[in-house]
Amino acid sequence: MTDTAPMDIPPATQVTLPDGRVELAPGTPPPGGPYANADLLPVPVAGRTWTTYNFSALWVGMAHNTASWTLASGLIAVGMDWKQAVFTIALANLIVLVPMLLTGHAGPKYGIPFPVFARASFGVRGANLPAVVRALVACGWFGIQTWIGGEAIYFLAGKLIGEGWSGAAEFGGHAWTMWLSFGLFWLLQVAIILRGMETLRRFENWAAPFVLVGAFVMLWWMSEKAGGFGPLFDQPSELGWGADFWTVFAPALMGMIGFWSTLSLNIPDFTRYGQSQRAQTRGQALGLPTTMTLFAFLSVLVTSGSQAVYGEPVWDPVQLAAKTDSVAGLLFALVTVLVATLSVNIAANLVSPAFDFSHIAPRRISFRTGALVTCVLAVLICPWKLYSDPEGYIFTWLGLVGGLLGTVAGILVADYWVLRRARLDLVDLYRRSGRYWYGRGWNWRAVAAFAVGGVLAIGGADFHPLVDGRPVPALAPLADYGWAVGLGTSTLLYLALMLPRRESLSRSRRPRRPSEPSPPPSRP
């Protein structure tokens, strides 16, 4: 293999603004050819308009959702008390914020989405590997969230309509009305995303505070049922603070990190619209750890209260809300759950895989087509199985996702910050003749680091309830630390393989200032 390829597309030029942001030079033709389309090209600086509030609202909307609720309440269900659960989730979100900010930096600076950002390390063609892996994970998430939204419609409508709805004939292990509810919620999300990113931004701005109010209403309702806040705080830990707790803590922490590990990769899909680095940094730092911890606090208190009231923790908020006899309360709960699920599912699990699938064949698959592909695959993954129990949800699904995507995050961070010092050539990201072509469009070093890191991260994991057994039993001791193992292994291995080529990487073409003449095309 060689690290160059014949030049086939006349290059555009790029300029660096005084604030450090880079864009294609105004008036020059944008990159064309088989590796570019309108959805993948850099967002012009004039189009990067998201403020700190927009990013904070985005995170509030994504953090305050039913899956986040079950994430925290699931820890109560496996034996933690409220202090242990909140501590685990707060620590996880502080940890995952670091790669989130590091990968998000490329968005406001270059205006590029995640699949294009991955081309710098994996190659113009090779970026399809992390893009497809991330997209398939997002399909799983989209399916889980859609199932939750459908479940909300089914349970709460059943309380209003009666036995004719909730006692309908079963098909495939669930009432046909449950499948109908799932389909209706699926169609609603498709309708919203087809209207574009601006519609999403406006939706997130009002959905975020609405969902937060709904969570406080549920806390007030549960405290009334429990006879005050005392029983909510008094539920003891079944694990204590000894060996039993720390045995559960490690995989639970990795699962919590895995919950947002998808966003730690594809956050450039959103930060590319940021008006500055300060907007995305402050917006994410204010939005993610604070709101996620607050929502976790609310959810564990409510779940602890359900344990005091009903004798066992009700970790699913939809089933908990269905226990109320108030029609007004049911309608409010239904709207809150639907808004919360729509907020996170469209933003976190539909926008990014739509870009990822578009990246596979840019000339044939648009953003909207990619979104439809995501919606179809989300059903084929059978999300009702992934969401069947809290242990499988936290320790299997989230653990596997975190381990695999942590491996990709390590490669991206090492390449962008250590090897390239945050300097990219926009034009070369879209053409065969550039420095990111490597060998036939693939950087085998990144693929090797991904493969080794992935095997070590998830090879020893227990795949139940998806399948029985561990693929590589000898790696079982690493399974509880999948995200950290994948991130650390891929980072070190990628740097070891790429450092001999660092001199050629450092010769990256410096983006010119607006007042400078256009440079001639260069070859790596």
Side-chain angles (χ1 to χ4, degrees), residues 191-261:
I192 293 177
I193 195 60
L194 291 181
R195 295 181 61 87
M197 287 292 289
E198 185 60 24
T199 299
L200 171 64
R201 185 182 68 85
R202 292 196 298 267
F203 176 76
E204 293 290 349
N205 284 346
W206 70 263
F210 180 84
V211 174
L212 186 58
V213 170
F216 275 106
V217 169
M218 183 166 280
L219 177 64
W220 169 81
W221 170 66
M222 186 50 62
S223 67
E224 287 287 306
K225 296 280 288 184
F229 286 98
L232 277 62
F233 288 97
D234 291 342
Q235 295 303 307
S237 169
E238 297 178 8
L239 305 173
W241 286 95
D244 290 342
F245 167 72
W246 295 109
T247 299
V248 173
F249 171 76
L253 181 68
M254 294 299 107
M256 301 305 104
I257 293 173
F259 187 75
W260 291 124
S261 61

Side-chain angles (χ1 to χ4, degrees), residues 26-377:
T28 62
Y35 304 110
N37 66 20
D39 297 313
L40 296 177
L41 287 175
V43 175
V45 167
R48 304 176 200 174
T49 59
W50 286 30
T51 63
T52 296
Y53 175 78
N54 293 137
F55 285 111
S56 295
L58 176 73
W59 273 113
V60 171
M62 290 195 295
H64 296 166
N65 65 83
T66 311
S68 295
W69 185 282
T70 58
L71 189 73
S73 61
L75 295 180
I76 299 295
V78 297
M80 292 188 185
D81 63 14
W82 72 269
K83 296 184 291 295
Q84 293 169 334
V86 171
F87 167 71
T88 302
I89 290 175
L91 179 60
N93 282 276
L94 288 174
I95 292 173
V96 81
L97 179 64
V98 176
M100 195 90 67
L101 295 177
L102 292 177
T103 55
H105 183 275
K109 183 169 184 178
Y110 295 101
I112 54 177
F114 159 70
V116 175
F117 176 47
R119 291 176 179 181
S121 52
F122 281 85
V124 175
R125 287 177 174 171
N128 282 322
L129 174 62
V132 168
V133 169
R134 207 230 74 89
L136 292 177
V137 168
C139 289
W141 271 123
F142 183 80
I144 288 174
Q145 294 276 14
T146 303
W147 184 257
I148 291 172
E151 187 183 51
I153 296 175
Y154 170 74
F155 274 110
L156 301 180
K159 293 284 287 189
L160 298 174
I161 298 173
E163 184 65 21
W165 179 273
S166 57
E170 288 194 358
F171 171 76
H174 298 277
W176 69 264
T177 47
M178 176 63 220
W179 295 112
L180 176 61
S181 302
F182 177 62
L184 290 174
F185 193 66
W186 183 91
L187 288 173
L188 177 61
Q189 294 173 107
V190 173
I192 293 177
I193 195 60
L194 291 181
R195 295 181 61 87
M197 287 292 289
E198 185 60 24
T199 299
L200 171 64
R201 185 182 68 85
R202 292 196 298 267
F203 176 76
E204 293 290 349
N205 284 346
W206 70 263
F210 180 84
V211 174
L212 186 58
V213 170
F216 275 106
V217 169
M218 183 166 280
L219 177 64
W220 169 81
W221 170 66
M222 186 50 62
S223 67
E224 287 287 306
K225 296 280 288 184
F229 286 98
L232 277 62
F233 288 97
D234 291 342
Q235 295 303 307
S237 169
E238 297 178 8
L239 305 173
W241 286 95
D244 290 342
F245 167 72
W246 295 109
T247 299
V248 173
F249 171 76
L253 181 68
M254 294 299 107
M256 301 305 104
I257 293 173
F259 187 75
W260 291 124
S261 61
T262 52
L263 266 295
S264 70
L265 291 183
N266 65 264
I267 195 64
D269 292 339
F270 300 96
T271 60
R272 67 191 299 221
Y273 300 101
Q275 64 178 201
S276 66
Q277 290 294 345
R278 175 178 294 183
Q280 74 97 4
T281 301
R282 288 186 174 182
Q284 293 202 81
L286 291 173
L288 172 58
T290 55
T291 57
M292 191 67 181
T293 302
L294 172 62
F295 202 63
F297 179 70
L298 295 176
S299 66
V300 297
L301 285 185
V302 172
T303 306
S304 294
S306 72
Q307 188 172 11
V309 173
Y310 302 110
E312 61 179 3
V314 183
W315 73 291
D316 188 331
V318 175
Q319 296 187 28
L320 182 61
K323 291 181 178 294
T324 181
D325 296 323
S326 168
V327 174
L330 281 171
L331 290 175
F332 179 78
L334 173 62
V335 173
T336 301
V337 169
L338 292 182
V339 170
T341 308
L342 281 170
S343 178
V344 67
N345 213 22
I346 296 175
N349 303 320
L350 193 52
V351 170
S352 295
F355 284 124
D356 295 336
F357 287 125
S358 177
H359 185 269
I360 296 173
R363 306 301 296 274
R364 297 182 179 88
I365 303 177
S366 66
F367 173 82
R368 286 177 170 81
T369 303
L372 292 175
V373 172
T374 302
C375 293
V376 172
L377 290 177

